Structure formats: structure tokens, C-alpha cells
Amino acid sequence: MTTFNSARALGAALLGLSLAMPLTSAFAAASDYEFQLVQTDIKKGDALIAVRLINKKIGKPVPDAVIFATRLDMAPEGMQEMATKVTPMPGAEPGTYQFKANLSMAGGWQLSLGAKVQGEADTVESKLVLKAIP
């Protein structure tokens, strides 16, 4: 076999090998991420709610996610229709996301979030339960 043919055969073999390897191994799945409340008990009234987005595989915060869906309601108390406005605020540190809201009643509140993580095809969704205390 000539040098030219050997090089072509090697190139074809490498191309075939790279196509045979699964592409998904380089990417994480949406289930590899989770939102966590920084504080679960929050004083009733005007409140600042902070959450962290964590990559569970490496245990590190995920900065620069785009949170496009937020809802805060009293679903844990059986009052899903009692929702309040949620306003995004700047996070205190990378991977931390904050929201301003009025927790008008003491009791359980559910914060529902939808986010896109850079390089991730799926949406990261989470429902976090916090408690408004008097």
C-alpha cells in the first residue's frame, strides 16, 4: 500500500470511529441540573427569594442560565390560584438567581422555574417549596 493510500485509509477509519461514538456523552441532560432554595423559611411580605442552579454531576453552581419561566403560588396549601408576581433580580454570586415577590400570607409557597442552560438542549424545570413565616 502506498503512503497516500495508507493516509486515506487511516483518515477514513478515524472518521468512521468518530461517527460511531455517541455524541450525547459530551453533553449533560436536564436531569443533571437542579435548583435549590438558598433559604426555605422567608419572612412574610416583600421578600427576596434566592435559588442556586447546581450541576449535580460536578456539584458546582451553573452561572448564566436563562430563566424564562417563573411562577409563585400557594399550591402547597391547596390554593394554586393564589399566585403573586415574581420579579427577577441580580444574583449575589455566579449560579445564584434572585427574585422579588410579595408573600402576602404565611404558609407554603411553590416557586416553579424553567431555565435554559448554555449548551443544553432540554429545559431545566423545577418546583421548589418555601415557607412564608410571620
Side-chain angles (χ1 to χ4, degrees):
M1 194 181 248
T2 67
T3 305
F4 179 72
N5 286 339
S6 296
R8 283 183 59 184
L10 179 60
L14 289 174
L15 177 63
L17 184 60
S18 68
L19 292 175
M21 295 178 74
L23 295 175
T24 56
S25 64
F27 300 101
S31 60
D32 293 332
Y33 300 93
E34 76 175 353
F35 280 101
Q36 300 172 345
L37 285 166
V38 171
Q39 184 178 358
T40 56
D41 291 347
I42 300 173
K43 191 150 176 73
K44 181 183 112 174
D46 288 331
L48 196 59
I49 303 165
V51 298
R52 267 187 221 94
L53 179 57
I54 301 292
N55 181 326
K56 295 188 293 184
K57 280 190 169 185
I58 60 173
K60 292 193 177 190
V62 179
D64 303 323
V66 177
I67 298 177
F68 62 88
T70 56
R71 179 176 167 83
L72 184 61
D73 60 41
M74 291 196 78
E77 302 291 335
M79 296 184 280
Q80 297 86 323
E81 66 282 349
M82 182 151 183
T84 190
K85 182 180 175 184
V86 179
T87 305
M89 304 294 288
E93 55 192 54
T96 302
Y97 304 86
Q98 294 188 101
F99 307 95
K100 188 167 94 173
N102 185 335
L103 303 175
S104 57
M105 290 178 58
W109 289 80
Q110 178 175 276
L111 177 62
S112 302
L113 299 169
K116 292 300 277 180
V117 174
Q118 203 168 26
E120 178 60 50
D122 296 331
T123 298
V124 177
E125 296 178 353
S126 189
K127 294 180 187 284
L128 306 170
V129 177
L130 59 103
K131 184 176 181 181
I133 54 176

